[in-house]
Amino acid sequence: MADSSKIVLDDKNNGEEIEIDPSVIEVIMGIAAEKVDGVAGMRGSVRSGINRVLGREDRSKGVTVGLDDDNNLIAEVYINVEAGSYVPKVAMTLQSSLLEQVKQMTDLTFKEINVHVTGLVFPEDEDKDNSETSKLFSDIDEKSKNESTRES
């Protein structure tokens, strides 16, 4: 992805250009991503770590927006997924939601929104035997035990 310091939006009504800083789009996408079911959080960057130390919230963490060599918008989104979620569905829903939010607020469209799953987040209350995640992994353990018993 080519580095960009500004994204230019042509105002077709009066023929003027509007410059949008990529960080504005990153914030829009960061907020929208947190609202998608199955997204447990965003992966932070060095910038978000510094903001956390300074007591500031970094709404764009986990999102990088830039232009490719042909001036097409490309986004890289780094997320953590809730355990038990179907990752392809979460990624596709996330891409659709981000496209819609950015289009609605800026009238910009993306050539690519690349979703990178960087982690799996388990529920904090792992002690409950009735949780879906516990059930999912106990089913996997049981299947694994049955297969190893058959091989013996």
Side-chain angles (χ1 to χ4, degrees), residues 69-88:
D69 294 334
D70 297 324
N71 284 332
N72 296 309
L73 272 173
I74 295 180
E76 303 293 331
V77 182
Y78 299 86
I79 63 169
N80 294 322
V81 174
E82 294 173 356
S85 297
Y86 184 59
V87 175

Side-chain angles (χ1 to χ4, degrees), residues 55-68:
R56 299 181 198 151
E57 188 173 3
D58 185 8
R59 303 295 255 166
S60 65
K61 77 176 179 184
V63 180
T64 305
V65 173
L67 298 170
D68 67 7

Side-chain angles (χ1 to χ4, degrees), residues 118-137:
T118 59
L120 184 64
V121 176
F122 292 89
E124 288 183 35
D125 194 3
E126 294 179 19
D127 297 336
K128 291 186 178 180
D129 291 333
N130 61 355
S131 77
E132 290 297 317
T133 305
S134 297
K135 183 179 178 198
L136 171 72
F137 286 102

